[in-house]
Amino acid sequence: MEIFFPFTNADPQRPFVVGQLGQSLDGRIATISGDALDIGGAAGLSHLHSLRANVNAVVVGAATVIADDPRLNVRLVPGANPARVVIDPQGRIGDEGRWLAGDGARRILITTRNKAPASCDEFIKLERRGSGFDPCEIVSELFKRGMKRILIEGGAMTLSRFLEARALDRLHVVVTPLIIGSGKSSIDLPPIASLAEAMRPETRVFILGGGEVLFDCDMRSGG
Ligand SMILES: NC(=O)c1ccc[n+]([C@@H]2O[C@H](COP(=O)([O-])OP(=O)(O)OC[C@H]3O[C@@H](n4cnc5c(N)ncnc54)[C@H](OP(=O)(O)O)[C@@H]3O)[C@@H](O)[C@H]2O)c1
């Protein structure tokens, strides 16, 4: 199915930020041991690659690099590889990994330190604000470096922080007909007292192949 990606903002001075998660019917993104590689079916994976092909940068948290050693490139659809950005405040990911492949895509580390792996092209040094980096600051630093469309690919903690900071324009959740029953939960935000405080974004729904369903949520709507 052809899905239209309206990945632009009315305001050219602001980047467009889309978050994604692939989750099971019971709202899990990985098993308890961190196995997430087969959570999406063929249609969901192809959608993820289409997202990558439509952005200038793809951002993941340190735990995803440690668990999955992801390539973060475009393989299943035509398109150029986006810049690969890893948020690793404490230097946990080490000097190796498939995200550092020398395929011409920019490799950028976001850190509190003064150094990055040798094969990294750039690093962005940020101060922690409370428990971590301010996602709006991350977006603004990437925009300054020419990245106008940014994908927050996960994991759950990274995406949840961007959601909480209202730093997402859109959220794509692909639900796979799979019940894991335990493991890492999807979005996790501070508690709210009543459903009146819940985010209720305007949402389009696309039925993908293999029983997978894409929820395309407009995060600038619905409070
Ligand atoms: N199903 C999917 O769509 C999908 C997508 C991606 C990943 N995954 C799975 O998700 C799991 C990992 O997810 P996760 O939630 O545990 O972790 P994660 O989001 O991959 O990484 C979290 C870590 O990244 C750093 N980080 C992220 N945002 C930060 C911020 N604003 N400020 C400071 N540090 C920040 C922190 O590193 P430090 O702890 O070093 O401070 C944090 O602990 C893996 O099992 C992976 O396979 C699933």
Side-chain angles (χ1 to χ4, degrees):
M1 174 191 289
E2 187 72 22
I3 299 174
F4 174 59
F5 294 104
F7 283 0
T8 48
N9 271 321
D11 178 359
Q13 297 313 314
R14 245 178 23 84
F16 184 90
V17 187
V18 55
Q20 84 82 40
L21 276 179
Q23 68 178 50
S24 62
L25 284 175
D26 55 327
R28 315 281 178 169
I29 62 151
T31 66
I32 210 142
S33 64
D35 181 9
L37 289 182
D38 292 328
I39 220 163
L45 267 179
S46 167
H47 176 66
L48 174 59
H49 282 243
S50 299
L51 285 178
R52 289 180 185 164
N54 276 278
V55 296
N56 312 116
V58 52
V59 179
V60 294
T64 291
V65 171
I66 292 165
D68 297 349
D69 191 14
R71 281 175 273 189
L72 303 176
N73 60 11
V74 179
R75 303 184 297 281
L76 303 179
V77 301
N81 292 331
R84 298 188 280 271
V85 182
V86 177
I87 309 174
D88 182 24
Q90 313 180 68
R92 282 204 292 145
I93 62 171
D95 290 351
E96 290 174 2
R98 297 194 292 188
W99 80 282
L100 290 168
D103 57 4
R106 284 163 81 180
R107 299 150 300 180
I108 303 172
L109 191 80
I110 301 185
T111 178
T112 53
R113 302 175 158 208
N114 284 318
K115 72 180 185 77
S119 40
C120 217
D121 300 297
E122 300 160 57
F123 71 91
I124 299 173
K125 186 178 173 190
L126 291 182
E127 301 291 329
R128 287 175 196 273
R129 314 268 176 219
S131 62
F133 301 138
D134 175 355
C136 297
E137 218 176 324
I138 294 174
V139 167
S140 148
E141 290 295 328
L142 293 175
F143 188 55
K144 272 191 230 164
R145 288 162 176 80
M147 287 161 245
K148 298 192 170 82
R149 294 185 306 283
I150 300 167
L151 169 63
I152 311 302
E153 185 165 319
M157 185 188 291
T158 300
L159 187 83
S160 298
R161 287 185 181 199
F162 277 79
L163 201 52
E164 187 185 351
R166 306 277 172 166
L168 297 182
D169 294 287
R170 282 196 113 77
L171 174 65
H172 279 197
V173 178
V174 173
V175 178
T176 300
L178 172 74
I179 297 172
I180 304 176
S182 59
K184 184 158 267 303
S185 295
S186 179
I187 294 162
D188 189 16
L189 297 174
I192 52 172
S194 79
L195 285 177
E197 297 166 64
M199 299 176 194
R200 288 184 192 272
E202 284 170 20
T203 297
R204 302 184 306 163
V205 176
F206 298 92
I207 310 294
L208 307 177
E212 292 187 284
V213 179
L214 164 65
F215 293 83
D216 170 22
C217 309
D218 178 356
M219 299 314 299
R220 297 290 167 213
S221 68

